[in-house]
């Protein structure tokens, strides 16, 4: 597979995963008794555990990273879990993708890109 096709395929997989994550989150918060904060905490903790296992299996240190990044990820998870309770799917997707784009563009501009 050429690099371009591989890139397109991986971007497609990532977009489907993001959409599925949004749908699963909405379903979990709508159809279960779990609150948004507990749900976000379980998501972040289980994600950290899986990443640690993958890093360890790949021979990498599972201790790399930073506390500010961890706090930012947790804040993202909390705020979007809370938002899924009150926003429609279309509005939530618009806000999410606008925030992601603004963050990426802002980061690039702040670092001279």
């Amino acid at each position: 597979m050429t690099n371009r096709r591989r890139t397109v395929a991986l971007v497609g997989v990532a977009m489907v995963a993001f959409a599925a994550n949004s749908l699963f989150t909405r379903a979990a918060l709508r159809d279960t008794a779990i609150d948004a904060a507990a749900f976000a905490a379980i998501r972040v903790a289980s994600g950290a555990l899986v990443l640690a296992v993958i890093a360890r299996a790949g021979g990498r240190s599972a201790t790399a990273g930073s506390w500010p990044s961890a706090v930012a990820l947790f804040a993202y998870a909390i705020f979007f879990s809370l938002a899924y309770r009150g926003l429609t799917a279309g509005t939530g997707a618009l806000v999410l993708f606008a925030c992601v784009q603004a963050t990426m563009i802002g980061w690039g501009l702040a670092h001279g890109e």
Side-chain angles (χ1 to χ4, degrees):
M1 181 180 284
T2 66
N3 281 342
R4 180 168 166 74
R5 285 187 182 180
R6 182 173 185 260
T7 300
V8 169
L10 291 174
V11 167
V13 168
M15 295 304 291
V16 169
F18 279 123
N21 176 56
S22 190
L23 294 173
F24 289 145
T25 299
R26 186 172 296 281
L29 292 172
R30 183 191 64 220
D31 298 336
T32 63
I34 193 168
D35 64 289
F39 181 75
I42 291 168
R43 284 178 71 193
V44 171
S46 61
L49 179 64
V50 168
L51 287 173
V53 169
I54 291 170
R56 182 78 49 155
R60 297 183 180 152
S61 171
T63 58
S66 71
W67 282 109
S69 294
V71 169
L73 176 62
F74 192 70
Y76 157 81
I78 289 285
F79 290 128
F80 275 98
S81 293
L82 290 169
Y84 276 120
R85 293 244 182 217
L87 294 177
T88 64
T91 304
L94 181 63
V95 169
L96 172 64
F97 291 117
C99 288
V100 168
Q101 290 299 315
T103 301
M104 289 171 42
I105 291 168
W107 182 269
L109 290 173
H111 289 88
E113 291 185 16

